[in-house]
Amino acid sequence: MNLSEMTKKELYRLAVELNLANRSKMTKEELEQALDKAMSDNKTHSSTEQHKVHPSPVLPEKISPPEYPIPDRYQIDTAVLLPVNPRKEYVYWEVADNTVNRFKVQHESPEISFVLKVFGGNETDSGEELASVRVGRYGNWFFDLYVPDKMIWAEIGLMDNKGNYFAVAHSRKVRMPSDKISEMIDEETWMTVGEKIEDIYRLSGVNELDSAVPGSVRIFQEVMRFLETNASSSGTTAKREGR
Amino acid sequence: MSGCWMLVLHSHLPFVKHPEFDYFLEEHWLYEAISETYLPLLMNMKKLEEEGVPFRVTVSVTPPLADMLSDGMLMQRFEKYLDRLIELANKEKERTSGDRAQNRVAWMYLERFERLKEFYHGFLGRNVLNGYKYFMNKGSLEIITCGFTHGFLPLMNGDNAVRAQIELAVKSHEKKFGTPPKGIWLPECAYYAGLEKVLADYGIRYFFVDTHGVLYAKPRPRYGVYAPVYTSNGVAAFGRDYYSSKQVWSSKEGYPGDTCYRDFYRDIGYDLDSEYIAPYISPDGTRVFTGMKYHKITGNSEHKEIYDPEAAKSKTVEHAAHFAAEREKQIKELNGLMDRKPLVVSPYDAELFGHWWFEGPDFLANVFREIDKNPEITAVTPMEYLAEFPTNQMVEVNPSSWGDKGYYDVWLNSGNEWIYRHLHFMADAMVSLARMHSGTKEDFLNRALNQMARELFLAQSSDWAFLMTTETATEYSVRRTKEHIHNFLRLRELVDNRDFDYDFLMKLETKNSIFPEIDFRVYS
């Protein structure tokens, strides 16, 4: 660790970890010196006990957290598409081993490939193919198709060694979110507010939404980062703050 | 003309209960939220009532939170927690006796903790929900619900899971507050096209969306976010006002960053000698927040000065006056553009006030004192507003959330996408098992299926996906998610094989005990 390359903030965090006295009143240089000293002292003593409670007989025993194994997949035929934002979609899929084996026999095709397709369109039509990728038996994929307001869905299928494609499962149709003010204006809007609508939108903050204030996300992240750097590393229970 | 202002506070904590440990750090989220946010908010409301200052607050109390607030074990632990705070404050009063400035802060804490205790045992009768019910009955509080376990509804892949989240939320709300909810705070403010059908089926009259949920609606919203809109079946959507959110939330310009407010980070749990502070931090020696903090934000540097409670208090008056004046300015400007009273909706996480922003509850009370003096602004609840303005424009609300970037990114990205395959499989399996066994009278089957529903609900909490994204409480949230998936699949095996393993079942029933009245048939 090279102390001279660290910012004052980083030095301070380290000082908190080592529980240095008077650290809040120190300048950057003083922090650097004090840390340098504390760390070389530490090397000769035990290095971690310094800021911890001395173990006493009442301390709970360290129990390693229980393991909860879960399967990778479920041996089902499925494809699910979920929107992430107006420009991004997530798809996961799986083709069951049984389906694959049956297909191989039926189509006399020992070699097969898996194809993942994404379609866009309306509630009712059969849609237009927007993307098609070769994939594995199961997995997930992020697409970056920009289709605001469109209905969109995914399909997983098998292709035999002659290049014939057969659909296995498809997702529900989902409506993608929009990222702009609609062109659609109803008549009554013109009668009630007319052109003032632009001013109302300005007051609504439409020009600043890109830098939008997130819900609680930012503040939590900030606090958690702080805690992450300050929490000591002992204990079996997680030791971070959240909400 | 004049306008309306609507304060919405979303109170939520994920269900965290660990009877298997004497001390469990994440349980402290609850104890801190009660002592720092919920009680101070309710105490301020009581003060306003005594002063005769009218106020209107719309507050969500999510079902997991309501459940924890009624959980005997957890509340007993909270009472112990509060007693230890008082004990610590007493010691601190002695320790700091040589330093006037610090000693004043120690006394402030001692008095504060004792008042909290008195309020909790006295007015609240040892039940925090009593406070909410009291103000609900007075008409100043509109309590709304949320998803049953704060599940992220747009990522549930189908109506069954969404319906179950809403149906049980309504049932839980009715049980806790004696009346079905009229409104809902959608978990993470997350809306998808078609959700309103489910809401309408359960008697929900309104929900909230972020600014662009209304602003990007189709057709164009006539009044921007300054009036609610109706979805096609008459459920109203209220849009968040950007500027009033920013005033409080922004890390740069926001009120909570003022230099004389209390600093959140400097806490004696980290600062004081380990032997002295040992009884008040984690028993394994891990340092944690105690809630006793002596410094004010002071400035950007690490140098922090001692907190001055009186100066901070008068700052909340100043900020409240500024907030009200800004709303008045906004409303007057809108009056020139609209043919009806504009409505400014300001939703926040409740825990921001008090927990993160120590003086926040006082600030809110002062805002109501300011508004009471201001003839231009009326504080309203959603039902009051809809009663006055029952006619609203009908639009298609835009899918959105209030998370970073405004859509679903926070809850669906490469760090947490793996959960959805499992959540969807579980929901589908739950539906088919519920249909198959809906007539069963068998005790084990009934209870195992009920517990499966609980495990599924708990796995669905958006909190876990959120915490994975923030890459901080990752370990705990990954383990919680896997635990519920694992338990669910194990129970499913028991049910399929008619293997009546009561030991395993009862262990889960005690631990993951959310909503004892649950009936798995909600999925049938």
Side-chain angles (χ1 to χ4, degrees):
Chain A
M1 195 174 332
N2 190 346
L3 292 174
S4 59
E5 280 175 9
M6 290 167 80
T7 65
K8 187 175 175 203
K9 204 164 196 151
E10 287 165 342
L11 290 170
Y12 184 77
R13 285 187 176 160
L14 197 58
V16 172
E17 272 177 44
L18 297 178
N19 201 22
L20 289 191
N22 295 325
R23 58 183 178 265
S24 63
K25 296 185 188 68
M26 292 182 189
T27 64
K28 184 169 182 286
E29 285 69 34
E30 286 164 346
L31 274 172
E32 216 178 292
Q33 282 169 13
L35 281 169
D36 195 43
K37 183 168 181 302
M39 283 158 67
S40 53
D41 285 353
N42 259 350
K43 276 174 200 145
T44 50
H45 306 296
S46 134
S47 61
T48 53
E49 281 307 301
Q50 193 169 2
H51 63 295
K52 290 213 190 111
V53 183
H54 292 291
S56 67
V58 291
L59 274 188
E61 288 210 16
K62 296 271 163 72
I63 312 156
S64 46
E67 288 291 318
Y68 297 108
I70 57 169
D72 291 338
R73 56 185 182 131
Y74 290 98
Q75 292 298 347
I76 51 173
D77 297 331
T78 186
V80 170
L81 181 145
L82 301 169
V84 179
N85 63 43
R87 300 173 181 277
K88 199 170 184 184
E89 303 79 18
Y90 166 78
V91 181
Y92 75 81
W93 70 92
E94 179 188 343
V95 183
D97 292 348
N98 274 340
T99 308
V100 173
N101 296 339
R102 214 177 325 123
F103 183 88
K104 284 180 179 168
V105 175
Q106 267 172 14
H107 296 268
E108 295 169 350
S109 171
E111 301 295 315
I112 56 153
S113 45
F114 302 86
V115 181
L116 176 66
K117 291 173 188 264
V118 178
F119 299 90
N122 308 318
E123 293 275 1
T124 46
D125 66 16
S126 58
E128 168 198 358
E129 188 177 305
L130 303 175
S132 169
V133 281
R134 293 258 174 142
V135 293
R137 188 172 294 221
Y138 68 103
N140 67 79
W141 199 283
F142 284 95
F143 290 92
D144 46 7
L145 302 162
Y146 181 51
V147 277
D149 296 323
K150 279 265 156 41
M151 297 302 287
I152 180 169
W153 62 97
E155 185 179 278
I156 182 73
L158 298 176
M159 200 181 276
D160 66 14
N161 50 9
K162 294 172 216 78
N164 302 310
Y165 170 83
F166 300 89
V168 172
H170 59 85
S171 74
R172 285 162 215 279
K173 294 183 175 182
V174 256
R175 206 187 94 191
M176 292 296 287
S178 171
D179 58 356
K180 53 182 185 294
I181 289 179
S182 169
E183 306 284 322
M184 248 172 89
I185 303 171
D186 62 11
E187 259 176 51
E188 212 185 315
T189 296
W190 286 119
M191 291 171 354
T192 48
V193 293
E195 312 232 346
K196 290 175 186 161
I197 200 166
E198 301 297 335
D199 288 327
I200 296 177
Y201 288 165
R202 180 178 48 77
L203 290 175
S204 296
V206 70
N207 300 321
E208 293 184 43
L209 282 186
D210 282 348
S211 58
V213 191
S216 32
V217 177
R218 191 174 297 156
I219 203 163
F220 283 130
Q221 276 176 336
E222 230 171 73
V223 170
M224 287 170 171
R225 289 232 173 82
F226 173 85
L227 292 164
E228 189 79 350
T229 42
N230 281 283
S232 72
S233 57
S234 64
T236 54
T237 56
K239 57 221 158 279
R240 292 100 177 179
E241 178 80 354
R243 51 173 163 175
Chain B
M1 234 180 357
S2 54
C4 303
W5 179 62
M6 189 185 288
L7 172 67
V8 186
L9 297 178
H10 171 48
S11 347
H12 167 64
L13 288 171
F15 190 79
V16 176
K17 177 184 170 188
H18 292 273
E20 74 276 26
F21 292 101
D22 290 337
Y23 180 98
F24 199 82
L25 202 105
E26 282 78 359
E27 270 180 17
H28 285 239
W29 297 348
L30 174 69
Y31 313 144
E32 285 165 17
I34 297 174
S35 63
E36 294 171 351
T37 296
Y38 310 143
L39 295 187
L41 282 173
L42 289 167
M43 283 166 83
N44 268 298
M45 289 182 199
K46 193 81 185 67
K47 236 188 273 169
L48 289 175
E49 188 194 31
E50 283 159 11
E51 292 168 24
V53 175
F55 63 93
R56 290 288 183 273
V57 185
T58 305
V59 63
S60 68
V61 180
T62 67
L65 176 60
D67 248 41
M68 290 190 290
L69 291 174
S70 335
D71 185 284
M73 186 207 93
L74 288 173
M75 293 319 289
Q76 216 174 358
R77 286 185 176 185
F78 166 71
E79 288 167 17
K80 239 169 69 188
Y81 167 85
L82 195 53
D83 285 339
R84 292 164 68 78
L85 273 183
I86 292 173
E87 185 186 290
L88 175 61
N90 267 308
K91 285 193 192 170
E92 280 297 285
K93 185 187 76 187
E94 300 304 319
R95 187 185 67 84
T96 57
S97 57
D99 180 324
R100 260 185 73 182
Q102 288 205 40
N103 195 236
R104 191 169 52 166
V105 183
W107 272 101
M108 184 269 301
Y109 281 118
L110 179 60
E111 282 163 15
R112 180 186 169 86
F113 296 152
E114 280 175 341
R115 272 205 319 275
L116 287 177
K117 186 176 175 179
E118 192 189 310
F119 186 74
Y120 173 79
H121 286 269
F123 180 69
L124 295 178
R126 297 173 69 201
N127 183 343
V128 181
L129 296 182
N130 284 342
Y132 291 97
K133 278 187 263 187
Y134 176 86
F135 292 110
M136 178 185 85
N137 292 333
K138 296 266 168 180
S140 34
L141 206 58
E142 197 158 301
I143 309 176
I144 59 177
T145 191
C146 191
F148 178 56
T149 50
H150 215 263
F152 197 88
L153 306 177
L155 300 178
M156 288 200 171
N157 191 38
D159 273 1
N160 287 320
V162 175
R163 277 181 188 279
Q165 281 275 342
I166 304 300
E167 183 172 328
L168 274 195
V170 169
K171 278 193 179 150
S172 160
H173 190 92
E174 211 169 342
K175 174 156 187 280
K176 297 288 186 325
F177 300 107
T179 166
K182 295 209 170 63
I184 188 167
W185 177 265
L186 299 175
E188 315 295 1
C189 224
Y191 170 82
Y192 68 92
L195 176 57
E196 62 274 10
K197 294 190 198 84
V198 182
L199 301 181
D201 284 350
Y202 293 98
I204 305 260
R205 302 275 306 275
Y206 62 87
F207 60 95
F208 299 88
V209 286
D210 203 350
T211 315
H212 55 299
V214 168
L215 224 45
Y216 300 163
K218 273 165 273 320
R220 287 189 179 194
R222 203 168 292 156
Y223 304 113
V225 290
Y226 298 113
V229 290
Y230 280 136
T231 53
S232 58
N233 55 8
V235 181
F238 290 87
R240 169 161 82 145
D241 169 53
Y242 171 75
Y243 289 103
S244 56
S245 292
K246 195 166 102 169
Q247 244 157 32
V248 178
W249 275 119
S250 163
S251 56
K252 286 187 214 102
E253 313 139 65
Y255 301 132
D258 191 279
T259 52
C260 71
Y261 286 142
R262 196 191 71 173
D263 184 69
F264 180 83
Y265 301 109
R266 288 291 298 275
D267 186 295
I268 61 169
Y270 289 91
D271 280 358
L272 289 188
D273 175 72
S274 53
E275 249 167 86
Y276 173 82
I277 204 69
Y280 309 99
I281 56 174
S282 174
D284 66 6
T286 306
R287 287 177 174 271
V288 298
F289 284 124
T290 61
M292 291 198 65
K293 303 160 203 268
Y294 284 88
H295 297 86
K296 57 181 184 180
I297 293 172
T298 315
N300 275 332
S301 79
E302 301 295 353
H303 168 70
K304 300 289 173 207
E305 284 162 18
I306 297 300
Y307 179 62
D308 177 351
E310 287 310 312
K313 201 163 233 169
S314 37
K315 197 51 126 182
T316 64
V317 178
E318 200 182 298
H319 280 156
H322 178 263
F323 186 86
E326 288 293 306
R327 298 293 75 70
E328 185 186 337
K329 228 164 73 189
Q330 197 175 14
I331 283 167
K332 281 194 170 150
E333 202 167 351
L334 288 161
N335 280 160
L337 304 169
M338 291 172 61
D339 58 352
R340 66 193 267 181
K341 269 195 223 169
L343 165 70
V344 177
V345 180
S346 308
Y348 310 100
D349 269 340
E351 294 78 17
L352 172 71
F353 299 93
H355 185 55
W356 308 113
W357 179 15
F358 184 59
E359 300 81 1
D362 296 340
F363 163 79
L364 287 179
N366 286 329
V367 168
F368 283 111
R369 291 188 184 100
E370 291 294 328
I371 285 180
D372 184 37
K373 290 185 282 184
N374 192 323
E376 301 293 326
I377 316 172
T378 319
V380 293
T381 66
M383 287 315 286
E384 282 175 335
Y385 184 90
L386 290 174
E388 193 179 343
F389 297 99
T391 308
N392 291 292
Q393 187 186 9
M394 198 167 81
V395 302
E396 283 174 37
V397 172
N398 190 43
S400 52
S401 86
W402 78 343
D404 201 12
K405 300 200 185 86
Y407 298 94
Y408 309 153
D409 304 56
V410 173
W411 296 273
L412 177 56
N413 53 61
S414 54
N416 56 22
E417 53 77 24
W418 61 271
I419 67 175
Y420 293 102
R421 177 189 299 274
H422 303 285
L423 297 181
H424 298 164
F425 176 81
M426 288 156 78
D428 290 344
M430 196 68 233
V431 169
S432 55
L433 281 174
R435 287 181 183 155
M436 195 190 306
H437 296 290
S438 66
T440 187
K441 299 262 186 316
E442 223 295 312
D443 177 66
F444 184 87
L445 279 184
N446 253 310
R447 283 168 59 181
L449 288 162
N450 287 342
Q451 191 57 33
M452 282 175 76
R454 283 191 198 99
E455 301 291 340
L456 168 56
F457 277 125
L458 290 171
Q460 285 171 333
S461 291
S462 67
D463 306 87
W464 313 138
F466 173 85
L467 291 171
M468 288 176 209
T469 298
T470 59
E471 287 188 348
T472 38
T474 313
E475 200 188 319
Y476 181 71
S477 39
V478 167
R479 187 151 19 98
R480 277 291 301 267
T481 306
K482 287 189 173 172
E483 176 192 345
H484 297 304
I485 299 170
H486 177 87
N487 291 344
F488 180 96
L489 296 174
R490 175 89 197 276
L491 286 166
R492 178 168 170 261
E493 258 177 60
L494 299 183
V495 166
D496 283 349
N497 302 333
R498 295 293 190 280
D499 177 357
F500 295 173
D501 184 349
Y502 271 100
D503 281 353
F504 178 69
L505 174 63
M506 281 159 71
K507 219 173 70 196
L508 298 188
E509 282 176 338
T510 317
K511 183 163 184 247
N512 300 326
S513 61
I514 191 168
F515 206 52
E517 304 78 8
I518 208 165
D519 184 350
F520 70 86
R521 291 168 188 84
V522 65
Y523 282 99
S524 65

